[in-house]
Amino acid sequence: MQILAVSGSLRAGSYNTSLLRAATEAAPDGVEVELFEPAAIADLPLYDQDLDGGEVPASVEFLREAWGSADAIIFATPEYNGSVPGGLKNAIDWASRPRLEAALTNKTVAVVSASTGQFGGMWAQADLRKILGIAGARVVGDELPVTRAQERFDHEGRLVDAELFERLRLLLETVAAEAIPTAVAA
Ligand SMILES: Cc1cc2nc3c(=O)[nH]c(=O)nc-3n(C[C@H](O)[C@H](O)[C@H](O)COP(=O)(O)O)c2cc1C
């Protein structure tokens, strides 16, 4: 079972990306968590229905193939002005079309968020759950907002919070239990 880990932050020192790196180590037996390169989100053009007819841009093709072939996806989002970063929303818009065969249709997904504030990006996380559900994904697992993220990682971006590591592991277990492997779904 392969779970793709998608960060909504493009920043090199991102806490959300660091959280997903920790998730690659927290994966239960039989589960492989693979980090989706954040640059692939930056490469996407802004969603334009006129570009979404026949042949789509290569960056869109890459996104749809990578997200579509994953058995499940875990998203980690920052909160920008009370919601998800525009780049992540744009990627989800691309991955939500064409509707019936979209990369996100029936995809099992989980959502976490990390912010330097005391609410852990809970608004962004709630919005992301809503957006993914409308886009056709199956959102599973408990909410996991990581507050005061700067205190939970060392200078190399390694997670130093054992309880948070355990919560990540439990979430990945839930995702793995709920996921419908793409080989079966096809
Ligand atoms: C444009 C912008 C808007 C932000 N708005 C919020 C916000 O509404 N709520 C919040 O908790 N943090 C907010 N922050 C702080 C981010 O949560 C913080 O920078 C976080 O570390 C970003 O995630 P990252 O480390 O994965 O890049 C904002 C940061 C930026 C750059």
Side-chain angles (χ1 to χ4, degrees):
M1 157 111 13
Q2 186 240 10
I3 301 177
L4 195 62
V6 175
S7 173
S9 175
L10 304 179
R11 169 176 103 77
S14 161
Y15 296 120
N16 283 281
T17 308
S18 294
L19 194 60
L20 293 177
R21 282 207 189 88
T24 65
E25 289 164 24
D29 283 352
V31 176
E32 192 194 336
V33 177
E34 187 193 321
L35 191 65
F36 183 70
E37 189 51 59
I41 286 183
D43 284 347
L44 294 166
L46 285 178
Y47 186 83
D48 178 345
Q49 232 177 323
D50 289 339
L51 293 180
D52 202 6
E55 206 171 306
V56 293
S59 55
V60 174
E61 191 69 51
F62 178 79
L63 174 93
R64 287 177 172 172
E65 168 59 27
W67 289 21
S69 62
D71 294 317
I73 304 177
I74 179 169
F75 289 89
T77 186
E79 183 166 289
Y80 285 176
N81 299 306
S83 191
V84 298
L88 180 57
K89 175 64 164 61
N90 185 50
I92 290 168
D93 291 340
W94 279 114
S96 71
R97 299 288 160 134
R99 194 61 170 137
L100 289 180
E101 61 211 57
L104 284 173
T105 299
N106 282 330
K107 186 69 63 186
T108 302
V109 299
V111 178
V112 300
S113 58
S115 125
T116 46
Q118 58 181 326
F119 299 108
M122 58 185 284
W123 287 341
Q125 187 169 157
D127 280 2
L128 185 50
R129 285 169 185 273
K130 181 191 76 175
I131 292 162
L132 287 166
I134 292 172
R138 296 170 56 236
V139 184
V140 303
D142 290 339
E143 293 190 7
L144 180 46
V146 176
T147 61
R148 304 180 67 80
Q150 69 279 15
E151 295 172 7
R152 299 176 196 276
F153 298 90
D154 67 16
H155 290 301
E156 263 119 39
R158 280 186 299 251
L159 185 62
V160 292
D161 183 326
E163 190 191 326
L164 180 53
F165 186 82
E166 179 59 15
R167 289 187 68 187
L168 263 182
R169 199 185 61 72
L170 288 172
L171 180 61
L172 291 168
E173 266 183 16
T174 301
V175 174
E178 296 271 351
I180 305 158
T182 43
V184 175

